[in-house]
Amino acid sequence: MGKGGSLSDGVIKKILLSYTYVAIWIFLSFTVIVYNKYILDKKMYNWPFPISLTMIHMSFCATLAFLLIKVFKFVEPVSMSRDLYLSSVVPIGALYSLSLWLSNSAYIYLSVSFIQMLKALMPVAVYSIGVLFKKEGFKTDTMVNMLSISFGVAIAAYGEAKFDSWGVILQLGAVAFEATRLVMIQILLTSKGITLNPITSLYYVAPCCLVFLVVPWIFVELPTLRETSSFHFDFVIFGTNSLCAFALNLAVFLLVGKTSALTMNVAGVVKDWLLIAFSWSVIKDTVTPVNLFGYGLAFMGVAYYNHSKLQALKAKEAQKKASQADEEAGKLLEERDGEGGGSAKKNESQD
């Protein structure tokens, strides 16, 4: 096979790998969401203890990350001073623990489909907090887009058959804390040149999350758990659930690292529609036409936002390439001028 054929094979292989990463991430994200709903919902497994479940996840992930880094030397730890840990990792860990606690709590009160609709507000929250912390520039057209997403989610909420105010407050709180965490990662870690892969991230962040969750757990869930003497810890259920949560962290890194964050956003939209369809057809959650209409508006807003980000990235890349080309052209001219000056001096000396 010629060069053209090998190039074609390489392109096909790259496309297939990208689709594989997307499929793995969608499958694991889908599994973790449905699994958590199954465990926490009172009509299913009936173990409504979201803080405890989050602590089990964090304990499992921290232990596995420790073994992979310190025992098996699978990943090199990131050098991190005590001051950097306290000033950067601790605030991120606190926000992450709050985000996980509230998002898991929402599964007790809301349907899977409605939670996915509310999660469409994530770009709105990230952009708003980015503007607040001056990491994003305020643009009128972007804000109009954010308002259109919010309007769509509001319609979806209005059409929700099993609307629960407390569940909505929990999920919106989870979105706000997660968006703040993402902005803080950019401010506290990325700006300092520190990049954490999922294993090193869990190694540093998971124990921190665990500590923050212990305090509310003691006052909120421990007294009820003591009274529930009939409960026996199921290692199969909670072990496989925690393993799925750990695998999802790896899949996120794999997807973003091998493709892009934008690909993950697009894949997330596909996952949301699949979850809504699953929630309606298998779990038998009620999905109304008003729900779908509102989410459809929000979906179009999110799609436009992703498209705008893609165009901005392309423009930035083109500008970067143009500036590099100008620099190279400038260096070539300097070299030519230098050679020309040297030959002129040589001719003078010969004369």
Side-chain angles (χ1 to χ4, degrees):
M1 193 179 282
K3 287 183 179 179
S6 61
L7 181 65
S8 177
D9 289 345
V11 170
I12 291 168
K13 187 179 178 182
K14 192 175 180 181
I15 291 168
L16 288 172
L17 279 172
S18 296
Y19 277 114
T20 303
Y21 298 139
V22 168
I24 290 169
W25 179 78
I26 288 175
F27 172 75
L28 287 170
S29 182
F30 184 99
T31 304
V32 169
I33 289 168
V34 174
Y35 212 157
N36 286 353
K37 172 67 175 175
Y38 168 74
I39 290 171
L40 295 164
D41 198 300
K42 292 176 182 178
K43 295 177 184 176
M44 297 181 193
Y45 189 74
N46 190 24
W47 200 69
F49 300 103
I51 305 175
S52 301
L53 183 64
T54 308
M55 288 176 71
I56 290 168
H57 287 172
M58 290 298 103
S59 301
F60 182 89
C61 290
T63 304
L64 207 52
F66 176 82
L67 290 172
L68 289 170
I69 291 173
K70 293 294 185 181
V71 179
F72 299 109
K73 311 289 183 182
F74 185 74
V75 178
E76 284 292 323
V78 176
S79 57
M80 189 174 295
S81 64
R82 184 183 173 185
D83 290 339
L84 183 62
Y85 185 84
L86 292 173
S87 63
S88 300
V89 175
V90 169
I92 290 167
L95 290 165
Y96 194 36
S97 63
L98 287 167
S99 171
L100 291 171
W101 170 17
L102 297 184
S103 63
N104 281 336
S105 298
Y107 287 115
I108 299 170
Y109 304 96
L110 303 175
S111 66
V112 170
S113 57
F114 187 44
I115 286 173
Q116 299 315 119
M117 292 176 190
L118 291 174
K119 282 181 180 179
L121 287 169
M122 185 60 77
V124 180
V126 171
Y127 177 73
S128 301
I129 292 165
V131 170
L132 190 67
F133 284 99
K134 297 181 180 179
K135 294 303 292 182
E136 292 272 0
F138 180 85
K139 294 178 183 177
T140 306
D141 56 340
T142 306
M143 186 50 72
V144 169
N145 185 17
M146 297 297 107
L147 289 171
S148 71
I149 296 170
S150 303
F151 181 64
V153 173
I155 292 173
Y158 177 77
E160 175 61 18
K162 296 177 182 177
F163 186 90
D164 188 292
S165 300
W166 181 237
V168 171
I169 290 167
L170 288 170
Q171 185 54 49
L172 292 180
V175 168
F177 283 123
E178 179 61 14
T180 308
R181 183 182 78 91
L182 294 172
V183 174
M184 292 297 276
I185 286 172
Q186 192 179 358
I187 295 170
L188 297 175
L189 292 179
T190 311
S191 61
K192 294 175 184 176
I194 296 171
T195 53
L196 299 174
N197 64 45
I199 297 172
T200 52
S201 177
L202 289 170
Y203 176 75
Y204 290 111
V205 174
C208 184
C209 285
L210 202 55
V211 171
F212 279 109
L213 289 167
V214 165
V215 177
W217 178 74
I218 289 170
F219 294 100
V220 178
E221 292 185 1
L222 182 59
T224 313
L225 282 166
R226 279 178 175 169
E227 291 172 9
T228 316
S229 57
S230 60
F231 174 74
H232 298 285
F233 190 85
D234 192 326
F235 285 96
V236 175
I237 291 288
F238 293 102
T240 53
N241 180 246
S242 299
L243 188 62
C244 286
F246 182 81
L248 179 59
N249 279 282
L250 299 183
V252 169
F253 176 74
L254 192 68
L255 182 61
V256 175
K258 300 296 182 180
T259 56
S260 68
L262 198 66
T263 303
M264 184 177 166
N265 287 341
V266 175
V269 171
V270 176
K271 178 206 71 180
D272 290 345
W273 282 111
L274 286 171
L275 278 165
I276 290 168
F278 180 85
S279 178
W280 171 71
S281 60
V282 179
I283 304 177
K284 302 299 179 184
D285 286 332
T286 305
V287 180
T288 66
V290 179
N291 269 148
L292 293 175
F293 175 72
Y295 183 65
L297 289 177
F299 161 71
M300 286 191 286
V302 172
Y304 179 76
Y305 177 68
N306 287 336
H307 173 73
S308 300
K309 284 189 77 174
L310 179 61
Q311 296 304 315
L313 284 170
K314 283 181 177 178
K316 191 176 180 180
E317 193 65 30
Q319 189 178 5
K320 188 179 177 182
K321 285 180 180 178
S323 63
Q324 284 176 348
D326 289 342
E327 284 178 12
E328 287 175 6
K331 285 178 183 178
L332 284 170
L333 284 170
E334 284 177 8
E335 287 174 4
R336 286 175 184 174
D337 289 343
E339 287 174 3
S343 59
K345 285 179 183 178
K346 196 174 182 180
N347 289 334
E348 283 175 11
S349 62
Q350 284 176 353
D351 292 341

